[in-house]
Amino acid sequence: MIRTRFAPSPTGYLHVGGLRTALYSYLFAKQKGGKFLLRIEDTDRERFVTDGTLNILKSLYWAGIVPDEGAQLGKGDTVTQKGKHGPYIQSERLDIYKEYAAELLDAGHAYYCFCNSERLEQLRETQQKNKMPTGYDGACAAMAPAEAKKRVAAGEKCVVRLKMPKDGETRAKDLIRGEVVFKNELQDDFIMLKSDGYPTYHLASVVDDNAMEITHVVRGEEWLSSLPKHIQLYAYFKWEIPEFSHLPLLLNPDKSKLSKRQGDVAVEDFRAKGYLPEAMVNFIAFLGWNPGTAKEMYSLEELVKDFSLEKVSKASAVFNLEKLDWYNKEYLRQMPLEELAKQAMPWFEKAGLNPSPNRGGARGGVWFESVLALERERVATLSELPAAVKFVFILPEYEAKLLIWRKGTLAEALKILPEIKDFLAGLKKWDKASLEIKIGEWIKEKDYATGSVLWPLRVSLSGQENSPGPYEIAEVLGKDESLKRLETAIAKLKN
Ligand code: GLU
């Protein structure tokens, strides 16, 4: 069975690059009828952040990426674990790593290293001065194991390093890049167990990928340089090597590495801005992959069907916010109004606008939906909706001169507005279509220029220079409120 994993470190939040890694691993596993796991790599205690795991879980679940196994989002926003390969949180597996480190020490593939930071610093300086590759020189490898054990027993501070081959090449297969080749002379004996007893990423991830029966490792390109280390660990343990896929980097439009300094990179920030999970997932899926057809709109289910790791590009992908906005707009436009109303509701409550469905009365229970329909095609995110339709809830302050059409005069507006108000007061049907017909007929009959009526009417209703058309607004406002706003406009002109 195919088993993939996403293995984030809980350093604060889920990065959009992490979301892509998780998504691709998820899609691949789901497509093959396999399992997708979430493992928490929290062995770097200096970068550990409380609630980091919870934040990652919340963002993943929001996006619809729910792990079959491993860390889970439990009731009441708690972190739970599920599955028989656990624990799935690395800080709960320290004994396991120690055991495997001991196995490598016993076999002579690893050794204790007592070099202190001053020595390592000096070594580095000398190497740099002589234009040599930097890295550990293997000094402690020569120490007799009995001597090393004695020093460890005496409580001396030490790390455990893995012996790496010094010549030849390490070759590996990457599903996206094909064969990758590393020169062994550039590898040093890296630390796999730190002096605090915690494993480094290399040891922990290889031990866990094996223990958790991971068949496909999907991760970011930044881990490609670690691959020879991992291959060597697999070789010493005589474990089967999983398939690897290293995903291309995400870049800012100026081709710099995507980082927090240039804008949002945390999934939770996009969520807080009112991006829809469907849009985010669709957008993220296309950062490095495309189906090779013109189809751009993909639900998570469709992605599961069509995604392919082999089609992921080696080239870096540009994180283009305009494209994300485009996706979000499309999803907002296509979402059933009822659903949109449900999702928009909290944003209105936050903005202090009462989305109570009975307000306005004109269309009863669907009133709020008709308000949203006014502007939903013009906004990019849910968070922009309250401001866009605020004029429906509260008539904005505006100046009398805004009521005067660019080809008209004050006198004309003062004549026409009371007339149209009286005409509207006599109408029985108050929906957009009949208003459009009736007002159209009235304008013709009076022989007015269309703009001389529709401009002041629309400004009276919206209080804004730009807004949707007067018929739609009138319908949403209802007859009473519309007439009231016309009165306000007339009073403004008279002042
Ligand atoms: N813990 C690593 C990270 O934070 C995981 C790398 C991997 O997937 O092997 O990205």
Side-chain angles (χ1 to χ4, degrees):
M1 174 188 298
I2 301 287
R3 288 168 62 86
T4 66
R5 61 18 171 221
F6 176 49
S9 300
T11 53
Y13 55 86
L14 179 60
H15 190 284
V16 283
L19 179 63
R20 184 188 58 175
T21 304
L23 176 65
Y24 285 9
S25 309
Y26 171 89
L27 294 175
F28 183 75
K30 291 285 146 182
Q31 180 172 82
K32 312 273 182 209
K35 293 260 186 283
F36 168 70
L37 277 76
L38 179 63
R39 179 171 77 226
I40 301 300
E41 301 204 329
D42 59 346
T43 58
D44 187 348
R45 300 320 273 176
E46 278 163 31
R47 293 175 67 218
F48 179 82
V49 171
T50 317
D51 282 345
T53 301
L54 196 57
N55 285 347
I56 290 170
L57 276 165
K58 282 198 217 162
S59 293
L60 285 176
Y61 277 59
W62 171 76
I65 303 171
V66 176
D68 300 299
E69 216 180 293
Q72 309 272 303
L73 185 61
K75 280 204 190 89
D77 280 353
T78 52
V79 180
T80 60
Q81 298 185 48
K82 176 174 133 190
K84 54 180 192 315
H85 295 76
Y88 296 88
I89 297 176
Q90 287 187 330
S91 58
E92 297 173 18
R93 302 171 61 80
L94 299 181
D95 290 346
I96 301 174
Y97 309 126
K98 278 187 192 146
E99 248 169 61
Y100 282 111
E103 191 182 315
L104 292 174
L105 279 164
D106 286 349
H109 296 317
Y111 58 90
Y112 291 107
C113 169
F114 301 90
C115 294
N116 58 24
S117 49
E118 286 90 73
R119 172 167 193 270
L120 296 176
E121 190 49 45
Q122 236 166 35
L123 176 65
R124 195 186 172 81
E125 273 169 27
T126 317
Q127 286 167 335
Q128 276 169 341
K129 222 184 302 158
N130 296 328
K131 304 229 159 22
M132 285 159 69
T134 53
Y136 186 60
D137 60 356
C140 287
M143 194 183 298
E147 150 95 5
K149 275 200 178 130
K150 224 195 277 162
R151 288 172 69 171
V152 174
E156 204 172 322
K157 203 169 156 188
C158 66
V159 299
V160 178
R161 290 183 183 270
L162 193 80
K163 277 189 194 159
M164 290 291 281
K166 298 294 177 295
D167 40 47
E169 290 168 341
T170 299
R171 289 170 182 269
K173 198 176 120 214
D174 181 284
L175 289 184
I176 296 168
R177 281 146 221 277
E179 192 178 45
V180 278
V181 183
F182 303 89
K183 282 204 177 97
N184 289 342
E185 61 187 317
L186 298 179
Q187 301 296 324
D188 71 344
D189 294 349
F190 65 92
I191 299 176
M192 56 178 209
L193 210 59
K194 294 180 276 189
S195 56
D196 62 2
Y198 277 78
T200 56
Y201 157 68
H202 307 299
L203 177 66
S205 78
V206 166
V207 163
D208 288 351
D209 283 341
N210 178 71
M212 295 173 189
E213 296 176 40
I214 300 303
T215 60
H216 291 74
V217 171
V218 179
R219 62 185 172 196
E221 186 178 308
E222 63 271 32
W223 302 107
L224 186 59
S225 59
S226 301
L227 190 54
K229 298 182 172 64
H230 300 179
I231 300 280
Q232 195 54 47
L233 278 165
Y234 281 105
Y236 285 149
F237 284 125
K238 298 192 174 60
W239 289 338
E240 201 184 323
I241 299 176
E243 299 277 1
F244 287 99
S245 303
H246 291 87
L247 306 179
L249 290 178
L250 293 186
L251 303 179
N252 290 305
D254 70 359
K255 301 283 152 82
S256 58
K257 195 169 172 221
L258 192 65
S259 74
K260 208 168 174 70
R261 252 166 290 130
Q262 296 222 13
D264 292 323
V265 290
V267 174
E268 62 193 87
D269 292 338
F270 289 98
R271 180 183 183 177
K273 282 202 168 144
Y275 286 94
L276 301 167
E278 298 86 344
M280 197 76 199
V281 163
N282 201 151
F283 166 70
I284 291 278
F286 273 71
L287 293 177
W289 170 84
N290 73 69
T293 65
K295 184 170 157 73
E296 286 194 286
M297 302 298 284
Y298 270 90
S299 67
L300 196 54
E301 294 72 37
E302 289 171 313
L303 285 170
V304 166
K305 229 173 89 237
D306 284 7
F307 177 76
S308 119
L309 265 181
E310 284 84 359
K311 272 203 197 141
V312 172
S313 158
K314 279 196 286 253
S316 311
V318 172
F319 190 81
N320 180 350
L321 277 177
E322 281 162 31
K323 191 72 194 184
L324 174 60
D325 281 349
W326 179 84
Y327 270 115
N328 214 57
K329 269 190 163 154
E330 282 302 304
Y331 279 95
L332 280 178
R333 218 162 53 85
Q334 292 179 16
M335 187 182 277
L337 261 179
E338 206 183 324
E339 176 62 23
L340 181 66
K342 217 167 77 198
Q343 297 220 25
M345 194 81 82
W347 297 93
F348 280 77
E349 280 160 359
K350 214 160 61 189
L353 302 174
N354 175 15
S356 144
N358 288 320
R359 220 194 109 127
R363 305 228 352 238
V366 289
W367 180 76
F368 184 49
E369 290 171 27
S370 61
V371 173
L372 298 178
L374 285 177
E375 289 284 2
R376 68 134 106 186
E377 299 200 2
R378 276 178 282 262
V379 299
T381 61
L382 287 174
S383 64
E384 292 172 19
L385 267 172
V389 295
K390 191 172 177 192
F391 72 90
V392 174
F393 297 81
I394 303 155
L395 177 65
E397 285 296 334
Y398 65 96
E399 286 188 38
K401 67 171 194 280
L402 194 60
L403 289 160
I404 299 164
W405 184 40
R406 70 190 154 82
K407 292 188 196 160
T409 60
L410 170 65
E412 186 189 50
L414 256 176
K415 175 170 181 291
I416 292 177
L417 268 184
E419 281 179 17
I420 184 84
K421 187 192 146 234
D422 288 345
F423 172 70
L424 292 176
L427 290 183
K428 289 218 168 54
K429 278 183 139 180
W430 200 266
D431 59 276
K432 180 183 149 197
S434 31
L435 284 166
E436 184 164 358
I437 294 168
K438 289 282 183 229
I439 294 173
E441 285 169 2
W442 183 81
I443 292 173
K444 226 183 219 157
E445 200 185 294
K446 292 274 187 182
D447 202 20
Y448 287 141
T450 312
S452 69
V453 179
L454 295 190
W455 177 271
L457 175 61
R458 191 184 57 72
V459 172
S460 307
L461 298 176
S462 68
Q464 296 180 163
E465 185 169 359
N466 299 306
S467 76
Y471 314 119
E472 303 162 75
I473 306 179
E475 175 181 294
V476 170
L477 289 176
K479 188 170 172 179
D480 292 351
E481 176 68 14
S482 299
L483 294 178
K484 223 163 81 195
R485 289 190 180 193
L486 278 165
E487 253 164 52
T488 307
I490 293 163
K492 259 187 206 285
L493 283 177
K494 283 185 181 153
N495 265 326

